[in-house]
Amino acid sequence: MTIRVIIVDDQAMVRAGFAALLSAQADIDVVGEAPDGRQGVQVSRTVHPDVVLMDVRMPEMDGLSAARELLDPPPGVVHRPKVLMLTTFDIDDYVYEALRAGASGFLLKDAPPADLIAAVRVVASGEALLAPSVTRRLIADFVERRPAPRKNPALRLNGLTPRETEVLELIARGLSNQEIAGHLVLAEQTVKTHIGRVLGKLDLRDRAQAVIFAYEAGLVRPGDSRA
């Protein structure tokens, strides 16, 4: 199945470069682009992409505001694409807020071309782009400095079984499904089932929000070593 992508960035050269790179892939189709967040939302609502590559800092409407509109659409709008944030900064307040809003991850603009292609495929498949250590550092840094969420997330942990809580902790530590399966001596499909239940019970969109939730609930703390 072809992955439909739009590129939202205020620099025409960036849009052109990303479009050329992605369009050269047999499984990716660039179906639109926009120079700012407002137009990006409009294009997305028109062409219904699978993935939106969204620059963080743009005129008219920044990437954070645009991501919020796409991921929390008004009544009557049912399409919600995956949003992958693009930034030139490895620590960026806007990126953290976008992850909390439901973005599937972020990528540095100067990442190697192969990383951009892989990121689009990962996000389109429903996974969150959390593998780069800088992502975990960003989440931990901002949770540590601003630990007061809108609701007390620790109370919501009570709805999880001990095994589900264990799986959530390992997700937050950056382990893949395969690594979690090995750590807990479970089948990988069983791990996927547990993850689905965790996301459903906690009303979380994907692994990115699961990681943030685990930090805010105190299940994992900044500086904890990987399991």
Side-chain angles (χ1 to χ4, degrees), residues 33-102:
E33 61 178 61
D36 61 64
R38 191 176 307 282
Q39 292 186 51
V41 171
Q42 294 172 350
V43 172
S44 179
R45 298 256 167 88
T46 300
V47 302
H48 295 174
D50 300 304
V51 178
V52 176
L53 293 179
M54 182 77 73
D55 189 21
V56 172
R57 299 170 186 253
M58 293 180 289
E60 296 297 325
M61 177 185 285
D62 63 37
L64 172 59
S65 298
R68 283 175 173 157
E69 287 207 15
L70 291 175
L71 298 170
D72 187 19
V77 177
V78 297
H79 177 256
R80 293 203 307 172
K82 307 292 185 182
V83 176
L84 179 61
M85 305 302 296
L86 299 169
T87 179
T88 54
F89 307 94
D90 64 349
I91 295 295
D92 193 309
D93 195 7
Y94 286 101
V95 176
Y96 172 77
E97 291 296 344
L99 290 174
R100 291 191 68 177

Side-chain angles (χ1 to χ4, degrees), residues 18 87-88 107-113 115:
F18 284 178
T87 179
T88 54
L107 191 70
L108 297 179
K109 284 187 177 181
D110 60 359
D115 286 2

Side-chain angles (χ1 to χ4, degrees), residues 5-19:
V5 178
I6 68 170
I7 302 165
V8 185
D9 193 293
D10 61 336
Q11 298 182 48
M13 290 294 290
V14 171
R15 297 198 306 273
F18 284 178

